[in-house]
Amino acid sequence: MTELHPVEWLGDRVRWINTLKIPWEEEWVEARDYERVAVAIERMEIRGAPAIGVAAAFGVALAALYSGARDVEGLKADVRKAIERLGRTRPTAVNLFWALRRMGRVLEGNYGDTEELRRAIIKEAVRIFEEDVEVNKAIGRVGNEVIEDGDTILTHCNAGALATAGYGTALGVIRAAWESGKKIKVIATETRPVLQGARLTVWELVRDGVPVTLITDNMVGYVMSKGLVNKVFVGADRVLRTGHVINKIGTYTIAVLANRHGVPFYSAAPTSTIDLETPVEEVVIEERNPDEVRRVLGKLLITVPDVPVLNPAFDITPPELVEGIITEKGIARKPYEENIPKLLGKG
Ligand code: MRU
């Protein structure tokens, strides 16, 4: 199966697969304008924590490439403006801010001319992309150690190639287990309201030939009570020093149920998803358009128009429900407050 890179740098433009159109159509979009990249992140044409970080870095590269500035200071000012705009696209996934901080650090160097600075910026964006693919493959290798032949793994949302620069985090672990010859099966939750599970995770796994069964979100308790799930693997948009896992809405419900039924619940994420600074009460949970809930994929109205709606895009799973956090550097286990900084070499 050819490797899928949902966001790519083509030398003078960015291209991405519009995940809103999957599974019906494989539409590739190209842009030379960072504003178009920002809008793609907002609309969720590009989504998933690592993928939006990579896309934002490429957005900054576009800003540098197409800036009309004649001197280094002018170019730096244009790039800062792009960083500020791209940082306002989505508030919860920390990879976005991590990638933009890395891009911002490039501006701290001394450059003889604008060309030298442009090259440095593009190089850093491409490096962020390349590292993400490598890191995901490493997460796959680490996570495969806890998977047994014959396991049925439940996953939520889409933490696959489509959510990253390639290979995926939670789906990267599933991919690595499958590639190593383990006969695993996957249960994917549909993931209301945006249906990343039904549309994207199922599409990816079918493409790779991994056996997958789709359930609605409210069937998780049933499948666990019937003993149909051995492990849960989800991704993360942000992991705190304390081990709190911020991930797609519905993750917390699954973790509670997994705990109730003695099913190990793991989160797989690159260390770029770890936020050592923010306390749990300060994490901003994105609230999205109420019509995502009132309608199915922006179309069929399934309720009374204008009914008040809650639409938080993410929830917070407390550390006691998390068996382990699988990163490219190894698995962090409880007590997280001690072991997460240690894993990052900051303990
Ligand atoms: O709103 P989304 O689709 O961007 O949310 C994505 C998730 O919650 C994923 O599970 C998370 O980003 C991990 S992706 C490797």
Side-chain angles (χ1 to χ4, degrees), residues 44 47-50 90 157-159 163-164 169 196 235-237 247-248 314:
M44 293 176 68
R47 38 65 55 197
R90 295 191 73 189
C157 191
N158 173 266
T164 62
T169 56
Q196 292 94 331
D237 289 83
N247 193 49
K248 180 51 54 194
F314 304 97

Side-chain angles (χ1 to χ4, degrees), residues 54-208:
V54 169
F58 286 154
V60 175
L62 289 178
L65 192 58
Y66 293 105
S67 157
R70 291 169 184 226
D71 57 31
V72 171
E73 281 318 305
L75 180 54
K76 284 186 179 178
D78 284 351
V79 170
R80 277 194 202 102
K81 211 170 113 199
I83 290 176
E84 191 273 324
R85 168 67 182 104
L86 288 154
R88 277 189 285 110
T89 49
R90 295 191 73 189
T92 307
V94 83
N95 306 63
L96 177 74
F97 308 106
W98 170 87
L100 290 174
R101 254 197 321 275
R102 263 183 75 162
M103 297 307 293
R105 275 201 293 271
V106 178
L107 300 179
E108 290 165 16
N110 291 317
Y111 300 92
D113 58 32
T114 52
E115 272 325 293
E116 197 190 337
L117 174 55
R118 277 197 179 97
R119 273 198 303 276
I121 286 175
I122 293 168
K123 199 168 154 198
E124 184 68 351
V126 172
R127 203 179 289 143
I128 289 173
F129 167 90
E130 288 170 351
E131 281 175 18
D132 190 59
V133 179
E134 288 317 307
V135 157
N136 292 332
K137 289 186 176 165
I139 291 173
R141 286 191 293 274
V142 172
N144 189 14
E145 287 167 23
V146 301
I147 294 187
E148 283 160 54
D149 198 15
D151 270 353
T152 297
I153 299 162
L154 185 137
T155 190
H156 184 57
C157 191
N158 173 266
L162 290 169
T164 62
Y167 204 72
T169 56
L171 281 199
V173 174
I174 287 165
R175 250 183 202 114
W178 182 254
E179 285 165 5
S180 73
K182 292 179 187 167
K183 294 274 170 279
I184 53 164
K185 290 183 185 147
V186 178
I187 293 180
T189 52
E190 64 173 347
T191 320
R192 276 277 291 155
V194 182
L195 304 179
Q196 292 94 331
R199 296 188 302 103
L200 311 180
T201 295
V202 167
W203 181 81
E204 278 197 43
L205 292 175
V206 167
R207 196 171 175 266
D208 281 6

